[in-house]
Amino acid sequence: TDSDTADEAVRTTCDDATICKRFATSKGYWKDSCLQYFVRNVGERKAPEINRGYYARVQGVNLLLDAFLKKTQCLCQVINLGAGLDTTFWRLKEENLLPRKFFEVDFPTVVARKIHYIKTKPPLSKPIIDEHSSDTLLLEPHALDSDRYCIIGADLRDVSGLDEKLKKFQLDPELPTLLLSECVLVYMTPAQSSSLIRWAAETFHTAMFINYEQVNMSDRFGQVMVENLQRRQCSLAGVEACQSLDSQRERFLKTGWENAEALDMMTVYSVLPQEDVARIERLEFLDEKELLQQLLQHYCICWATKDKLSLGLSQVAF
Ligand code: SAM
């Protein structure tokens, strides 16, 4: 059916993200020692503005995530929704910043692929085993569960199924929890993403949600981005919620979150540590400054908090 085709197209988007990150890290934009195990080859050259865009995305999200880990002193959980082949777990392990437990959720077929890579690549499996205390580690085709890392196959549009699976793997609603979605909600209808966001607000009393995705999609540049996604037959059900920074914030404020902020990536780029920005700007010559600006103006980071434990989560910012 059409919707199966659209879901399959969406599942392949995680490869794009990993391929682009692999290329950018090969150029020295940032370090990631694990990407090589998820995409073997560095692949074709990507335009400098794409590399800078990924740099801003990765640094921006990491900055907020690390600030949350600091506020909670790592006595928290992280749930990466639509994690794809993301490598954050291994970065946090390397940097000694692991939360109590790190959960990842994606479609079962994506999860099965990721588990296969983990099983067959010791640099990926060793950190998981090292953090695991008993000798029984759950390893199934669509789920891996250990003390500190858990990966679950589920459809994020089915919130009760998601809730059930996470609880089966010892999700603790009492722990401060960070939810992360990067380029995921855009593939779901506004009703579906709202119920996911509402579930998070209702499940955790102290939490932060970080969402990275498209914004300002109604102008001409935005329309071209939409057409590119359409050409790939991806579901674009969520574009409606990506109209403005206000609409990004609104959907959190309407679903039980206390605070919500949103910045477009041009702004994020200008508030990232400027010494490092100057370093990466020397890596490759960029001819089309305007193209970079347009690209960055069409993505945003939105973050929302609720803070019953008064950890100061509303102060987390750039
Ligand atoms: N977040 C990762 C990153 O930034 O590298 C992957 C981004 S990729 C563009 C989108 C991911 O969301 C894909 O892995 C896709 O399978 C997942 N996804 C989209 N809709 C989903 C749904 N309804 N249930 C589970 N996963 C979903």
Side-chain angles (χ1 to χ4, degrees):
T1 68
D2 280 358
S3 83
D4 289 340
T5 312
D7 281 1
E8 182 49 34
V10 168
R11 282 191 280 270
T12 65
T13 59
C14 71
D15 291 304
D16 300 340
T18 313
I19 288 167
C20 290
K21 289 175 188 170
R22 175 93 161 94
F23 185 81
T25 55
S26 79
K27 285 275 173 196
Y29 281 83
W30 72 94
K31 289 199 175 78
D32 187 325
S33 60
C34 286
L35 284 169
Q36 57 180 313
Y37 306 116
F38 293 110
V39 232
R40 191 183 306 228
N41 302 313
V42 169
E44 299 175 19
R45 182 182 171 274
K46 302 280 180 286
E49 60 271 13
I50 302 289
N51 300 329
R52 289 193 192 180
Y54 270 93
Y55 169 82
R57 162 176 171 177
V58 170
Q59 302 303 312
V61 169
N62 285 352
L63 201 141
L64 294 177
L65 167 63
D66 292 3
F68 177 88
L69 292 168
K70 202 166 171 195
K71 286 270 185 220
T72 59
Q73 300 180 311
C74 297
L75 292 173
C76 63
Q77 303 166 124
V78 174
I79 310 175
N80 190 342
L81 302 163
L85 304 175
D86 186 84
T87 55
T88 303
F89 168 80
W90 291 272
R91 175 180 74 84
L92 296 179
K93 161 76 182 163
E94 249 169 57
E95 295 180 2
N96 235 331
L97 284 174
L98 276 188
R100 296 312 308 156
K101 194 156 177 176
F102 193 102
F103 294 88
E104 294 186 348
V105 183
D106 208 298
F107 283 121
T109 50
V110 175
V111 163
R113 274 181 58 206
K114 191 165 190 175
I115 291 176
H116 173 77
Y117 292 132
I118 293 172
K119 267 204 307 208
T120 53
K121 311 274 184 345
L124 298 178
S125 54
K126 191 171 180 297
I128 298 171
I129 295 164
D130 285 353
E131 290 293 335
H132 192 70
S133 55
S134 69
D135 28 272
T136 47
L137 193 142
L138 180 123
L139 199 55
E140 288 170 0
H142 299 117
L144 182 168
D145 186 40
S146 67
D147 287 355
R148 307 297 283 277
Y149 179 70
C150 174
I151 166 167
I152 302 169
D155 188 331
L156 299 169
R157 295 167 296 192
D158 168 17
V159 170
S160 58
L162 173 70
D163 184 72
E164 195 180 300
K165 286 177 183 161
L166 284 166
K167 289 192 173 135
K168 183 176 146 202
F169 293 115
Q170 287 81 47
L171 178 85
D172 179 359
E174 295 305 314
L175 266 186
T177 299
L178 181 110
L179 300 114
L180 173 63
S181 58
E182 268 186 78
C183 292
V184 175
L185 302 186
V186 69
Y187 302 114
M188 307 164 45
T189 66
Q192 290 163 341
S193 57
S194 286
S195 54
L196 181 63
I197 293 169
R198 176 175 293 116
W199 163 81
E202 284 170 355
T203 304
F204 307 103
H205 53 67
T206 302
M208 177 159 135
F209 201 121
I210 305 175
N211 180 45
Y212 171 91
E213 71 183 346
Q214 290 88 340
V215 74
N216 299 327
M217 294 304 270
S218 39
D219 68 12
R220 265 189 64 195
F221 192 89
Q223 285 310 304
V224 174
M225 290 168 61
V226 169
E227 281 159 25
N228 284 337
L229 285 164
Q230 267 164 353
R231 201 163 305 135
R232 300 188 48 187
Q233 298 185 305
C234 282
S235 149
L236 285 166
V239 169
E240 213 182 292
C242 302
Q243 293 312 319
S244 66
L245 293 174
D246 275 339
S247 59
Q248 290 279 3
R249 292 174 55 241
E250 275 304 307
R251 67 172 158 186
F252 286 94
L253 296 173
K254 277 189 198 146
T255 50
W257 293 83
E258 290 162 6
N259 288 288
E261 311 266 356
L263 296 177
D264 72 58
M265 294 309 289
M266 191 61 220
T267 309
V268 170
Y269 191 73
S270 70
V271 295
L272 285 174
Q274 290 301 297
E275 227 172 280
D276 201 49
V277 172
R279 177 189 65 80
I280 66 111
E281 288 189 343
R282 289 192 295 268
L283 292 174
E284 288 184 287
F285 178 69
L286 181 75
D287 211 4
E288 300 257 14
K289 287 246 157 54
E290 265 172 40
L291 190 55
L292 174 69
Q293 282 181 2
Q294 286 213 305
L295 195 68
L296 293 179
Q297 278 158 5
H298 286 81
Y299 284 92
C300 72
I301 296 185
C302 179
W303 66 103
T305 56
K306 52 180 298 195
D307 194 2
K308 187 172 157 225
L309 294 178
S310 301
L311 300 175
L313 296 183
S314 68
Q315 297 150 17
V316 172
F318 286 94

